[in-house]
Amino acid sequence: MMVMHAIAAAALMVALSGCSAFNYVAADSPVPEVSVAPMTPAPRVALVLGSGGPRGYAHIGIMKVLEEAGIDYDLVVGSSAGALIGAFWANGYDAEEIDRFAQSGGPFTLFDLSLFADRGWIRGQRLQDYVNTRLDSKSIEQMPRRLIVAATRRDDKAPVFFRSGNIGVAVRASSAVPRIISPVGIDGTEFEDADESLPVAVRAARQAGARFVIAVDVSAKAGTAPQGTSKALLDRDARRRSRIDPEVAAADFLIHPDLDYAAGPRRSYFVNAQVMGERSARDALPALVERLRLAGLTVRD
């Protein structure tokens, strides 16, 4: 889904570009993996943040509650908007700091419009540059916290995972919504939005060896589409659910906020999404703490 454009502090500038394809070739090119090798040491608690564009603001509210409750996670797996949030967490920022970044930007801050829209009317270069600037151009493996970024290989729609390489390029690839944000070439292979394959990539956390997995699904809940919603949108929702349901079933705990169906780049939606994320996490907190206790995992006081 569309990346949360409000996590930015730079002023709005529209950059017109040509229609040539972007292809990143460098020593720090993100390396796509079709599966994740077990991590050492194995993660105790993994937090899997799903795709969702503006809905991704709910992630911030949920993370605030988990942090306040002393629930520490030592791995984040992120898809699209979740990858963007996860990148900031991996650099050592807490939810309050990520929220301040989110509040400091305005509409289209991370959007650089393309004069030629055949591959998407947003390039994505501004997002890449912003992430790299904010995170001091660290590679994923240089982050102080562990992060896995999910994306989709464009030619066959297969999921891939980035655990090393340029963090801005990886987040840009994970967020490249088809027909909206241009696909990202990395060493000659094109990648697009993780939502097209794994909107909530629980399998990556499992493959990494996580002992306990908390999944966060910020997609629309089944049956919440308003009357008159087009068949095309309903079919899109059904396809997404078919990708999400098997993944969240493999998690130890699921948080699924009840967000407004019609997401959009409105400050009111961002605020409400964060509030609803926080509310859903607080409601789920007693059950989550108990599940962690039963799994032999302590909660920090």
Side-chain angles (χ1 to χ4, degrees):
M1 296 292 292
M2 188 177 296
V3 63
M4 293 186 306
H5 56 260
I7 301 183
L12 170 64
M13 293 176 60
V14 175
L16 298 179
S17 69
C19 60
S20 59
F22 171 82
N23 184 45
Y24 189 82
V25 180
D28 68 342
S29 293
V31 179
E33 304 173 12
V34 296
S35 62
V36 177
M39 291 181 167
T40 303
R44 293 175 66 255
V45 179
L47 182 65
V48 180
L49 302 178
S51 61
R55 295 171 176 276
Y57 268 82
H59 291 318
I60 301 174
I62 290 167
M63 292 168 75
K64 281 184 178 181
V65 173
L66 298 184
E67 290 174 6
E68 291 170 2
I71 297 174
D72 295 321
Y73 35 94
D74 51 351
L75 169 66
V76 164
V77 179
S79 293
S80 198
L84 177 58
I85 294 292
F88 281 80
W89 171 86
N91 197 51
Y93 295 115
D94 62 23
E96 290 287 351
E97 290 171 310
I98 296 171
D99 186 26
R100 285 199 292 274
F101 293 140
Q103 297 296 331
S104 65
F108 304 109
T109 304
L110 297 185
F111 292 172
D112 43 3
L113 303 185
S114 173
L115 184 62
F116 301 95
D118 59 321
R119 294 172 59 80
W121 54 274
I122 298 170
R123 291 181 63 208
Q125 184 69 49
R126 183 173 296 282
L127 169 63
Q128 174 185 321
D129 293 344
Y130 175 77
V131 171
N132 280 333
T133 298
R134 278 288 187 184
L135 305 185
D136 300 320
S137 296
K138 294 187 183 75
S139 294
I140 299 171
E141 68 273 20
Q142 295 173 329
M143 296 287 179
R145 296 167 172 168
R146 293 187 287 188
L147 172 70
I148 298 173
V149 174
T152 301
R153 195 164 54 205
R154 188 169 182 242
D155 61 355
D156 61 1
K157 301 298 184 182
V160 298
F161 309 103
F162 298 118
R163 295 192 299 157
S164 63
N166 187 294
I167 183 63
V169 175
V171 169
R172 178 179 178 180
S174 182
S175 309
V177 184
R179 296 173 298 280
I180 298 176
I181 301 177
S182 297
V184 175
I186 301 174
D187 293 335
T189 300
E190 287 194 331
F191 301 91
E192 61 186 12
D193 196 354
D195 188 71
E196 297 295 303
S197 58
L198 288 179
V200 188
V202 172
R203 73 179 65 175
R206 286 295 181 208
Q207 292 170 356
R211 184 173 169 185
F212 194 97
V213 178
I214 304 169
V216 181
D217 177 10
V218 296
S219 66
K221 289 190 173 182
T224 60
Q227 187 174 3
T229 299
S230 70
K231 184 178 184 301
L233 287 179
L234 294 174
D235 289 346
R236 182 201 64 181
D237 292 342
R239 289 193 298 271
R240 183 176 291 118
R241 284 256 60 89
S242 72
R243 297 191 290 268
I244 293 174
D245 288 347
E247 293 293 313
V248 298
D252 295 289
F253 199 87
L254 172 64
I255 301 175
H256 191 176
D258 191 8
L259 302 175
D260 291 344
Y261 182 84
R266 306 181 303 277
R267 177 170 175 76
S268 60
Y269 191 92
F270 304 149
V271 172
N272 185 66
Q274 184 166 328
V275 168
M276 294 305 294
E278 184 171 346
R279 181 179 301 170
S280 67
R282 292 199 188 282
D283 290 345
L285 190 58
L288 174 56
V289 170
E290 178 63 12
R291 290 289 298 277
L292 287 166
R293 186 189 67 80
L294 291 174
L297 295 165
T298 58
V299 175
R300 175 174 47 82
D301 293 331

